[in-house]
C-alpha cells in the first residue's frame, strides 16, 4: 500500500506571533524573497519615464486648476453629501416606523434614490469633474441606503444611534465594524 505524501499543516497563530515579536520574517506573515525580473523591468521603465520627463522639463508646465474649478467641485461634493444626509434622515425614520408605514417609507426611499441618482445630470455644472463627483457621492448614498433597506448594513450602524447612522450615509467612505464596536 502506497503512503500518501505528507501535507504540511498551516503554521499555528502562536508561531506567527512569536516570529513577528522576534522580528523574523515568516512565510505565513507574507515575507517575500528577492525582486523578480518583472519587478526590475517595471522599476527600470519607471526610472526611464522619470528621466525623460526631467529632460523635457523646460516644455512641461504643471498648472493648478483655477479657483472656480475647485469651488465648483467642492460645491458638487458638498451637495451630494448634504442630500445623502437628507436621505439618512428619511431612512432612519423608515427603519424605526411601524410595519405598515415602513412599506410606504421604503417606496419613498426608492423614489428618493432614483431622484438623487439622476440629479447630477440635471445640475448646471460647467465641468465634468463636478458632475462626476456629485454622481459618485449620490451613487454611494443610494448604495448605502439599499444596504439599510436590505438589512446588509453593519449592525453597529443602527445600534449606535442617529449620529453613527448619519455618518454612515453622509460619508463616502465605507467602513467595516466589529459586531460589538461603538462607532461614536
Amino acid at each position: 500500500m502506497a503512503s500518501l505524501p505528507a501535507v504540511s499543516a498551516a503554521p499555528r497563530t502562536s508561531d506567527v506571533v512569536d516570529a513577528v515579536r522576534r522580528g523574523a520574517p515568516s512565510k505565513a506573515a507574507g515575507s517575500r524573497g528577492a525582486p523578480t525580473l518583472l519587478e526590475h523591468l517595471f522599476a527600470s521603465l519607471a526610472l526611464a519615464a522619470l528621466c525623460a520627463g526631467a529632460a523635457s522639463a523646460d516644455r512641461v508646465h504643471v498648472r493648478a486648476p483655477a479657483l472656480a474649478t475647485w469651488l465648483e467641485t467642492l460645491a458638487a461634493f458638498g451637495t451630494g453629501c448634504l442630500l445623502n444626509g437628507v436621505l439618512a434622515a428619511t431612512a432612519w425614520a423608515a427603519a424605526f416606523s411601524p410595519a405598515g408605514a415602513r412599506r410606504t417609507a421604503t417606496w419613498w426611499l426608492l423614489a428618493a434614490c432614483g431622484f438623487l441618482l439622476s440629479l447630477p445630470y440635471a445640475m448646471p455644472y460647467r465641468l465634468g469633474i463636478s458632475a462626476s463627483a456629485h454622481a459618485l457621492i449620490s451613487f454611494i448614498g443610494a448604495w448605502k441606503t439599499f444596504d439599510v433597506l436590505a438589512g446588509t448594513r453593519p449592525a453597529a450602524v443602527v445600534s449606535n444611534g442617529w449620529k453613527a447612522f448619519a455618518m454612515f450615509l453622509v460619508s463616502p467612505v465605507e467602513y467595516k465594524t466589529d459586531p460589538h464596536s461603538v462607532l461614536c
Side-chain angles (χ1 to χ4, degrees), residues 53-177:
S56 64
D58 58 336
R59 294 180 299 240
V60 176
H61 300 283
V62 177
R63 288 192 232 170
L67 182 61
T69 303
W70 286 106
L71 291 176
E72 182 177 308
T73 304
L74 287 174
F77 190 82
T79 302
C81 287
L82 180 70
L83 292 174
N84 283 349
V86 173
L87 195 63
T90 309
W92 181 261
F96 295 105
S97 60
R102 188 176 303 142
R103 186 174 298 122
T104 304
T106 299
W107 286 107
W108 279 107
L109 273 173
L110 291 174
C113 286
F115 173 74
L116 286 180
L117 290 173
S118 63
L119 186 64
Y121 305 103
M123 296 288 285
Y125 292 125
R126 294 178 300 119
L127 304 167
I129 186 97
S130 302
S132 297
H134 188 170
L136 183 63
I137 296 299
S138 295
F139 176 78
I140 292 170
W143 183 281
K144 288 181 176 186
T145 301
F146 294 146
D147 272 350
V148 169
L149 292 176
T152 57
R153 82 292 185 244
V157 169
V158 291
S159 65
N160 286 320
W162 159 248
K163 191 165 70 168
F165 185 76
M167 287 310 300
F168 174 72
L169 276 167
V170 170
S171 171
V173 178
E174 179 71 27
Y175 54 89
K176 293 190 180 269
T177 59

Side-chain angles (χ1 to χ4, degrees), residues 21-38:
R21 284 187 183 149
R22 288 191 312 263
S26 164
K27 289 184 180 178
S31 64
R32 296 187 51 194
T36 65
L37 179 63
L38 189 60

Side-chain angles (χ1 to χ4, degrees), residues 40-62:
H40 281 295
L41 179 66
F42 282 137
S44 300
L45 288 174
L47 183 62
L50 185 64
C51 291
S56 64
D58 58 336
R59 294 180 299 240
V60 176
H61 300 283
V62 177

